[in-house]
Amino acid sequence: AQTVTQSQPEMSVQEAETVTLSCTYDTSENNYYLFWYKQPPSRQMILVIRQEAYKQQNATENRFSVNFQKAAKSFSLKISDSQLGDTAMYFCAFMNFTSGTYKYIFGTGTRLKVLA
Amino acid sequence: DTAVSQTPKYLVTQMGNDKSIKCEQNLGHDTMYWYKQDSKKFLKIMFSYNNKELIINETVPNRFSPKSPDKAHLNLHINSLELGDSAVYFCASSPSFRGTEAFFGQGTRLTVV
């Protein structure tokens, strides 16, 4: 069974600094997709970034980028120039196709606090 | 113009009651899900429907009964509510092809007292 592990329950970073959130996963599949979601206090789940496993190039979205190491099964999220609005729970997610449908498996989350 | 909408946002009820949460998506997606987020923020899949057909049931107690009248709606009915059912329940949808993220509703916070 696929699992997703986020080993940092909580992190903090000063405004304008850079922070990296860790995620590892376990799968025997070769083709899959990985995501980072943000959940601010409003509770809404918001997609931050996605990565296709077959692409070697790391995905970037403005201040957000990933370091995808397929062999190591690692998928970390780097937030540059952190802003107060980045304060939220961050979830790493793995998507695979199983039993005739797509299934998203989430890590336990990292609570990020950006300090003024 | 919400893509995935759930009602109600908050639900407080007594033990033993029966309650329903409704979900609708206007994205034209074929697949819909229910996830449960517990007090430690862990998100766990409960059910997945594809074109109104139940595909995944993650060993959820049979007090929980999802119903999909059409592919745009997936409701969750819970019988004989227990204290341990208190959580945030998220509805989500995704299209039937790889690489696309799941789109989530705003969640329903259920509190059983």
Side-chain angles (χ1 to χ4, degrees):
Chain A
Q2 287 86 1
T3 58
V4 179
T5 302
Q6 294 179 248
S7 58
Q8 304 150 314
E10 292 187 0
M11 294 190 73
S12 61
V13 62
Q14 288 295 135
E15 201 175 4
E17 296 293 310
T18 296
V19 64
T20 298
L21 309 184
S22 302
C23 173
T24 58
Y25 57 94
D26 188 24
T27 183
S28 57
E29 293 190 10
N30 196 41
N31 292 321
Y32 48 87
Y33 292 81
L34 297 161
F35 306 89
W36 278 97
Y37 279 87
K38 168 185 177 180
Q39 186 180 38
S42 67
R43 210 167 66 202
Q44 182 67 52
M45 294 287 287
I46 302 164
L47 178 73
V48 175
I49 200 164
R50 75 166 67 83
Q51 175 78 43
E52 295 90 337
Y54 61 86
K55 285 189 179 179
Q56 292 189 342
Q57 187 173 5
N58 290 324
T60 62
E61 284 287 341
N62 301 315
R63 298 182 295 108
F64 299 88
S65 61
V66 299
N67 183 1
F68 174 50
Q69 302 288 330
K70 190 172 183 179
K73 296 180 183 174
S74 169
F75 182 59
S76 61
L77 174 70
K78 185 171 85 170
I79 306 174
S80 304
D81 186 24
S82 296
Q83 300 175 359
L84 296 177
D86 296 333
T87 293
M89 285 288 293
Y90 286 82
F91 293 94
C92 178
F94 170 96
M95 184 184 87
N96 73 329
F97 187 80
T98 182
S99 302
T101 193
Y102 297 99
K103 185 176 176 180
Y104 299 80
I105 301 165
F106 288 83
T108 48
T110 296
R111 186 181 301 275
L112 176 68
K113 188 168 185 179
V114 180
L115 306 171
Chain B
D1 232 22
T2 308
V4 182
S5 61
Q6 294 177 229
T7 53
K9 289 185 182 178
Y10 298 94
L11 189 51
V12 181
T13 187
Q14 290 188 325
M15 272 173 42
N17 283 352
D18 303 338
K19 289 293 178 186
S20 292
I21 305 171
K22 295 187 176 182
C23 178
E24 175 182 6
Q25 55 96 2
N26 62 6
L27 298 167
H29 291 166
D30 295 326
T31 305
M32 295 185 73
Y33 312 82
W34 279 110
Y35 279 83
K36 179 180 180 180
Q37 187 174 43
D38 62 23
S39 57
K40 295 185 179 178
K41 301 294 186 181
F42 182 54
L43 267 165
K44 184 171 165 55
I45 190 168
M46 300 172 68
F47 302 103
S48 167
Y49 269 72
N50 187 272
N51 278 319
K52 304 192 299 176
E53 183 184 347
L54 177 66
I55 303 295
I56 293 175
N57 180 341
E58 288 284 319
T59 59
V60 178
N62 56 17
R63 297 183 295 104
F64 291 79
S65 52
K67 281 189 172 52
S68 182
D70 55 61
K71 75 173 192 177
H73 295 84
L74 180 61
N75 304 322
L76 183 65
H77 188 76
I78 315 171
N79 289 329
S80 304
L81 278 154
E82 301 176 356
L83 293 176
D85 297 332
S86 295
V88 178
Y89 292 85
F90 283 95
C91 176
S93 73
S94 70
S96 295
F97 51 84
R98 283 193 174 219
T100 306
E101 71 274 20
F103 291 76
F104 283 80
Q106 71 272 48
T108 297
R109 181 178 292 282
L110 172 65
T111 304
V112 182
V113 297

